[in-house]
Amino acid sequence: MVFKNGHGVDKMKKKTKQEKIRNIGIIAHIDAGKTTVTERILYYTGRSHKMGEVHDGEAVMDWTPDEQERGITITSAVTNCEWRESDIQIIDTPGHVDFTIEVERSLRVLDGAVGVFCAVGGVEPQSETVWRQADKYHVPKIAFINKLDRVGADFFGAVGMMREKLNANPLILQLPVGSEDTFAGVIDLIRMKQILWDDDTLGATYTSADISPESQELAKAYREKLIEAVAEVDDDIAEAYLSEAEISEESLIAAIRKATVDLKLVPVLCGSALKNKGIQPLLDAIVQFLPSPADIPPIKGKHPETGETIECRPWEKDPLAALIFKVSMLKGRKLSYVRIYSGKMTVGEDVYNPLRNKKEKLSRILRMHANKRERMDMAGPGSIVGVVGLKTSSTGETLCSADHPVFLENIEFYEPVISVAVEPKTLSDQERLNQVLGKFMAEDPTLTVRQDEDTGQTILSGMGELHLEVIISRMLREFKTRVNVGKPQVVYRETLAAEAEATSVFDREVAGQHHFGEVVLKLRPLPRGTGNRFRSTVAEESIPDIFIPVIEKGAMESLESGTLMGYPVVDVETVLTGGSCKESLGSELAYTVSASMACKEALAKGEPFLLDPIMDVEAFVPEAFMGDVIGDLNSRGGKIEAIHCQTGLQVIKAIVPLAKMFGYSTALRSATQGRGTFTMQFLRFDRS
């Protein structure tokens, strides 16, 4: 039986019910083939008419100049396509650790995910990170083992790594036919058919036939394992299996779907996206096994005033509840990416932002296809759309109806670990710089900007060297703003080595009124990662309870800037141990200032020291160069945690202070004749 491109697609069907929507993300380590998989999906569903290749800089989803130059995904791109009468809305996410926030924001609003794994590298470090992010948001997943045509490809090794590293329960639905340069197709274990692709049609046609005799025994063994695994999580299949009754294809698919949505199993498929093999069955699996908005529990929000829990059901007649998960500046206009959970949005209507207590008008609603857009009059629940017209609303904020206000859970953001100083080259650049930085910060919550009080320089802080490089590049390309850039600087934290106590008295006249407040604070160090906390041990006759919150506020605000180099102070307990109050003279101003002054004095006395950002580093090197690489990491103050072998490479796990990792990629390439690679992500703040 021969199938052709677009098989099962009803191209006339534009509007779909909630049951037919699939909101999915493509997630993986850098260079596992996410964007290539997405390009093939768009081609075979008829959404694009030419396959764009990442290495040629022509991928539809990598459309920004920086992405095309570097050959990597930097921003999450949203698109949609149709397959088997289902509307699939796809977010292609970055794999580089510097852009993890893009993955986090996308997973927050998705119903399902496709994890792409390289058959040679298996589960790589960033794969683990994005998989855990998906677990955090309870996102059902299917896995696609890619690059089975590559030398060293090991399908079963990659599945084993999923069990070991991701603590996943993989369910093998396909077996590869051949391997490396002989890889030709897959065996479908549900239908017990062999699928081979036609190279002459770029994989658009494929043949489904009986399994070849040499593969029959292996296929039967893995079909048995598949049914056993499903029987463990599904009573109906278990009953049929134990009574040796025949299990129909429909009942098996239904059981796998339920187990996938319930996060009990992860269906595993395989192929080679670059060689155009395996994509159509992957599309079938997305439709068959990943949930629609109607399959997942309604998202819960809170009433902004009463705190009452509100369920947002995916029904058009319900009040609007939508989350802004990304903001982009395109040609100077603000485009907000929104996931609608319940209700509907209509062009020209007002929506309400409960965080800012403001109404906003929807001037346009857009269906997104990477950097192309189609106008829509209305969007219903389950839709992921672009919205133009929101002036004040930003990433992570909720849009709802003013009559039924609701707060959806905020998106968490990461703290920046590296910074550079930027200064404009000309007066006209100076005028544009603040405006441009404001736009970048609206787009990217992990980018922070501050003015250095001593030098007057503007300090940009971000998630890594590449993150800041891209920001500087975009300043020049998109906004024609030229800047001089200083060397990257590490963003430290400060803490204390010893307990310290200080007393401060505020006793003066301000604006014709006398103010008095005396505060005694004791600061003591806490274990790493504990955070800051405040408590009071004073009696009410010393300081009335009404002033305790303002003393806490004054103390905590003073911890935002330490006495050594002005970095935030962490892991410190502030204890209010004493103080006094003069009747009728005590005021919030006096106690706030006293608390701040006492805190600063105690910080200076408490033997403050700097905490370095400590990075989790994994270096992938050929065995012949292992000694040199370990020696280099040791010289950078690194601690080697583990070394293990992985498909012809040695993987060295180490923790290293970020300050010592500048220029490491060049050093590693030099030490390994260009064959070594590494990944690095933030682990914790600690003493190096």
Side-chain angles (χ1 to χ4, degrees), residues 410-424:
N410 274 344
I411 299 173
E412 292 178 20
F413 299 122
Y414 294 85
E415 292 208 18
V417 294
I418 193 167
S419 61
V420 292
V422 295
E423 52 187 35

Side-chain angles (χ1 to χ4, degrees), residues 422-463:
V422 295
E423 52 187 35
K425 288 191 173 180
T426 67
L427 189 60
S428 61
D429 292 326
Q430 170 72 62
E431 290 167 359
R432 279 197 296 267
L433 182 60
N434 289 340
Q435 185 183 359
V436 170
L437 290 176
K439 288 179 178 177
F440 284 147
M441 288 169 70
E443 279 190 23
D444 185 352
T446 59
L447 182 73
T448 62
V449 178
R450 67 179 176 86
Q451 295 292 324
D452 188 302
E453 291 178 10
D454 297 327
T455 64
Q457 287 176 310
T458 301
I459 309 294
L460 285 187
S461 301
M463 299 301 294

Side-chain angles (χ1 to χ4, degrees), residues 13 36 49 53 101 106 126 179 188 232 253 280 299 306 421 430 449 499 559 565 646 675 682:
K13 190 174 182 67
T36 306
H49 302 290
E53 301 295 2
I101 187 63
S106 302
Q126 188 63 7
S179 185
D188 180 344
E232 283 180 15
I253 287 172
Q280 293 93 335
I299 188 170
T306 65
Q430 170 72 62
V449 178
E499 280 190 17
L559 293 180
M565 295 174 68
Q646 179 181 308
R675 292 159 65 192
F682 174 73

